[in-house]
């Protein structure tokens, strides 16, 4: 009250500056009265509420009190504010129940599917690999490395069709990685009983696969033993395919698939070829590995143990006949002596492979072939050695002797060792006629043409088949 009076006095002084005597008297009078004024009573909020009730004022909300200004931060006034109005009240129970009824129900299987770890889908149980799980990359590294693959005894197959064909042939599945559960449906539960199933993200699978567009499912199988056939074929012919320096995985896969389809009894792969159990070779062969006997990483000394002396030897050359004859050079020094000497099929005792000085211990410049030390000079010599050249349609074979077809890489062709092996057994070059626009064919295409021609000749002179399909 006193402060308001002083304000009025100062405002009067500003408006009427020329009435100084009134100003002094007024200030003196009002200031003296304000000092003598004392509060009549000091009321608490409870006493004030009783006083207001006695006066007939029923306002319980301090914000509606006409006598006391409301201060929001005042704890005394705030405690009398109704809780509903302060915004701290709990929602009504009816609204909560209505909201709970609108929430969708979740089954136990759906809850398990959202949790990390083991997943269940009817009878299929699998585990979802989270980001950064090292098990996924480790098993792929082992399956792609030739050394680790041989050590662990595993192979990698990619694609639903290839996995199904392998399981049908009797291959043992150890691990199965997939991006969608639909890719696993249809696989026999018995085949998945002993395997571990993992679900991975598509982008993680794409980092490890060789294809641009991954199939979404990859299987890790147990590697069959060398020469083991999981599902033998009965309708075979005495044909052998020998792969020499075939380094392209796609060509090797095509050769294995073609040999199995043509009815060959075995495939022999020499040292220097790509590993027949490489993932790219397996993808190119489309499961043919399990239907034909395959012997890998052989030397020419070992190959002699699988080919009899009466077997007809052929070298399939993918080039034109003119290019094949061009590489022959009878005038090359030393060729005439080779042509004059009689072929020696059985090796002598001059180089014993069982001794400590075996081929593995010899340098790259020296190794043993048919009992002789093999040098680069002999390699070049045998490559220029002339041999009989015949068109594939003019081949002649009898069923009792059988046939062995040697195929080489597209870049270098067959090695000198392969040519010596054929020369000592009176072998011959087999060519395919081509027009002038083409100089060569793919090695898989050339081998397929010659193999089926050999099959046609062997079937034409073979005796009738028995009830079991054998000849």
């Amino acid at each position: 009250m006193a402060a308001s009076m002083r304000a009025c006095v100062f405002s009067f002084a500003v408006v009427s500056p020329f009435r100084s005597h009134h100003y002094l008297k007024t200030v003196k009078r009002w200031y003296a009265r304000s000092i003598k004024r004392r509060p009549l009573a000091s009321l608490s909020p409870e006493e004030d509420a009783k006083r207001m009730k006695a006066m007939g004022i029923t306002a319980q909300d301090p914000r509606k009190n006409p006598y006391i200004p409301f201060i929001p931060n005042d704890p005394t006034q705030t405690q009398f504010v109704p809780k509903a109005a302060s915004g701290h009240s709990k929602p009504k129970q009816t609204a909560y129940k209505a909201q709970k009824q609108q929430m969708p129900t979740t089954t136990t299987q759906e809850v398990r599917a959202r949790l990390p770890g083991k997943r269940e889908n009817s009878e299929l149980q699998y585990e979802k690999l989270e980001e950064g799980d090292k098990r996924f990359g480790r098993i792929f590294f082992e399956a792609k490395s030739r050394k680790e693959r041989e050590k662990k005894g595993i192979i990698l197959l990619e694609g639903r069709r290839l996995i199904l064909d392998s399981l049908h042939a009797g291959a043992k599945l150890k691990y199965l990685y997939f991006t969608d559960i639909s890719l696993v449906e249809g696989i026999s539960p018995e085949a998945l009983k002993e395997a571990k199933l993992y679900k991975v993200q598509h982008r993680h699978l794409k980092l490890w696969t060789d294809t641009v567009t991954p199939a979404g499912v990859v299987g890790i199988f147990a590697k069959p033993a060398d020469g083991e056939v999981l599902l033998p074929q009965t309708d075979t012919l005495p044909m052998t395919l020998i792969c020499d320096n075939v380094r392209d995985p796609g060509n090797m896969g095509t050769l294995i698939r073609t040999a199995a389809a043509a009815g060959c009894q075995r495939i022999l792969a020499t040292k220097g070829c790509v590993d027949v159990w490489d993932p790219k070779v397996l993808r190119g062969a489309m499961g043919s590995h399990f239907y034909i006997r395959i012997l890998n990483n052989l030397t020419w000394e070992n190959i002699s143990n699988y080919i009899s002396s009466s077997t007809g030897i052929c070298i399939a050359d993918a080039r034109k006949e003119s290019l094949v004859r061009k590489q022959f050079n009878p005038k090359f020094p030393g060729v005439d002596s080779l042509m004059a000497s009689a072929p020696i099929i059985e090796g002598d005792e001059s180089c014993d492979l069982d001794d400590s000085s075996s081929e593995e211990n010899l340098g790259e410049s020296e190794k043993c072939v048919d009992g002789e030390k093999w040098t680069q000079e002999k390699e070049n010599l045998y490559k220029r050695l002339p041999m009989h050249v015949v068109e594939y349609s003019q081949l002649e074979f009898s069923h009792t002797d059988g046939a062995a077809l040697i195929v080489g890489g597209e870049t270098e062709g067959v090695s000198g060792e392969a040519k010596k092996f054929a020369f000592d057994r009176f072998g011959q070059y087999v060519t395919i006629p081509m027009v002038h626009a083409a100089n060569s064919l793919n090695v898989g295409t050339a081998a397929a043409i010659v193999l089926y021609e050999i099959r046609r000749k062997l079937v034409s002179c073979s005796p009738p088949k028995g009830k079991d399909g054998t000849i």
Side-chain angles (χ1 to χ4, degrees):
M1 183 66 73
S4 62
M5 287 188 233
R6 285 197 299 271
C8 294
V9 174
F10 286 121
S11 65
F12 176 78
V14 174
V15 176
S16 305
F18 301 103
R19 299 181 182 182
S20 60
H21 61 285
H22 291 288
Y23 170 73
L24 295 175
K25 291 180 181 179
T26 306
V27 172
K28 183 178 180 181
R29 182 176 66 248
W30 284 103
Y31 185 74
R33 291 182 60 183
S34 63
I35 292 176
K36 296 178 181 179
R37 182 163 298 193
R38 296 288 186 271
L40 299 177
S42 179
L43 302 177
S44 63
E46 292 80 3
E47 294 174 347
D48 187 47
K50 292 179 181 180
R51 178 175 173 272
M52 292 173 60
K53 187 176 180 180
M55 295 173 60
I57 302 174
T58 58
Q60 298 295 331
D61 192 348
R63 297 173 300 176
K64 299 179 181 180
N65 193 337
Y67 301 99
I68 302 176
F70 178 72
I71 303 175
N73 296 330
D74 186 3
T76 305
Q77 292 182 341
T78 306
Q79 66 179 345
F80 292 98
V81 178
K83 294 183 179 180
S86 62
H88 299 286
S89 61
K90 296 182 180 180
K92 294 183 179 180
Q93 190 71 12
T94 56
Y96 174 76
K97 289 183 178 181
Q99 184 180 4
K100 186 176 180 181
Q101 292 176 358
Q102 295 178 359
M103 293 177 62
T105 58
T106 306
T107 61
T108 306
Q109 294 181 355
E110 293 177 351
V111 173
R112 290 179 178 176
R114 297 176 185 175
L115 295 176
K118 295 291 181 180
R119 309 298 176 97
E120 295 184 3
N121 180 53
S122 64
E123 298 181 358
L124 188 64
Q125 296 185 0
Y126 61 92
E127 181 180 354
K128 183 177 180 181
L129 295 183
E130 303 296 336
E131 182 122 5
D133 199 316
K134 296 182 180 180
R135 292 176 295 175
F136 178 65
R138 187 186 301 114
I139 193 67
F140 268 73
F141 170 77
E142 293 174 351
K144 287 191 171 186
S145 172
R146 182 170 186 171
K147 181 179 179 181
E148 294 295 328
R149 186 168 56 243
E150 294 290 338
K151 182 179 179 181
K152 300 291 183 179
I154 56 176
I155 56 176
L156 186 148
L157 302 179
E158 182 180 359
R160 177 181 170 86
R161 176 186 171 186
L162 181 56
I163 291 176
L164 288 175
D165 292 344
S166 303
L167 292 174
H168 175 71
K172 183 180 179 182
L173 179 63
K174 303 184 69 174
Y175 304 96
L176 186 66
Y177 299 88
F178 56 91
T179 58
D180 191 85
I181 193 65
S182 59
L183 298 172
V184 188
E185 295 178 353
I187 301 179
S188 173
E190 298 180 357
L192 302 175
K193 185 179 299 183
E194 299 181 0
K196 296 181 180 180
L197 278 65
Y198 299 99
K199 185 177 181 182
V200 297
Q201 297 183 13
H202 185 272
R203 59 189 181 91
H204 293 163
L205 189 64
K206 189 175 182 179
L207 293 175
W208 287 96
T209 55
D210 300 323
T211 56
V212 179
T213 305
V217 56
V218 176
I220 305 296
F221 287 77
K223 177 181 173 296
D226 199 22
E228 180 183 4
V229 184
L230 299 182
L231 191 61
Q233 293 180 333
T234 56
D235 192 8
T236 59
L237 293 172
M239 295 189 301
T240 301
L241 178 65
I242 304 175
C243 300
D244 179 59
N245 289 335
V246 179
R247 297 185 175 92
D248 185 80
N251 289 340
M252 180 62 79
T254 303
L255 290 171
I256 295 175
R257 189 176 184 181
T258 303
C264 292
Q265 289 182 345
R266 67 180 71 88
I267 297 176
L268 307 179
T270 64
K271 288 185 176 181
C273 291
V274 64
D275 185 18
V276 296
W277 300 106
D278 185 85
K280 292 183 179 180
V281 179
L282 290 165
R283 186 168 60 250
M286 290 303 296
S288 300
H289 288 71
F290 309 110
Y291 298 91
I292 187 172
R293 188 183 182 190
I294 302 177
L295 297 169
N296 192 24
N297 203 27
L298 298 176
T299 63
W300 284 101
E301 285 287 335
N302 301 135
I303 290 178
S304 303
N305 300 328
Y306 300 97
I307 305 298
S308 64
S309 58
S310 60
T311 302
I313 308 297
C314 300
I315 298 178
D317 203 302
R319 298 171 297 174
K320 298 173 64 174
E321 182 178 352
S322 59
L323 297 177
V324 174
R325 294 183 180 276
K326 189 177 180 179
Q327 74 173 358
F328 299 154
N329 187 5
K331 298 181 179 181
F332 192 80
V335 172
D336 52 348
S337 61
L338 289 177
M339 296 178 63
S341 62
I344 302 175
I345 297 178
E346 299 294 335
D348 54 17
E349 301 298 331
S350 59
C351 182
D352 187 6
L353 289 178
D354 295 331
D355 194 9
S356 59
S357 60
S358 62
E359 181 181 350
E360 296 180 357
N361 297 327
L362 294 175
E364 293 184 359
S365 59
E366 292 185 355
K367 50 185 176 181
C368 294
V369 177
D370 284 344
E372 300 178 0
K373 289 186 177 181
W374 192 260
T375 61
Q376 186 63 38
E377 182 181 356
K378 287 189 176 182
E379 176 78 15
N380 298 331
L381 187 64
Y382 273 96
K383 279 191 173 183
R384 290 170 173 79
L385 183 66
M387 290 182 62
H388 179 61
V389 181
V390 63
E391 187 178 320
Y392 79 98
S393 59
Q394 304 299 324
L395 286 173
E396 294 295 337
F397 288 105
S398 64
H399 175 265
T400 56
D401 296 337
L405 180 65
I406 304 174
V407 293
E410 294 184 7
T411 305
E412 300 179 359
V414 296
S415 62
E417 301 169 77
K419 198 169 180 181
K420 181 183 185 304
F421 181 85
F423 178 78
D424 292 345
R425 291 161 177 79
F426 303 98
Q428 53 190 341
Y429 263 82
V430 182
T431 60
I432 301 171
M434 308 177 198
V435 297
H436 297 287
N439 292 324
S440 63
L441 291 174
N442 176 268
V443 63
T445 305
I449 295 174
V450 179
L451 276 177
Y452 273 93
E453 179 62 23
I454 295 175
R455 175 184 173 82
R456 188 182 69 84
K457 295 292 180 63
L458 293 179
V459 170
S460 62
C461 62
S462 63
K465 298 180 181 179
K467 295 182 180 180
D468 57 349
T470 57
I471 296 176

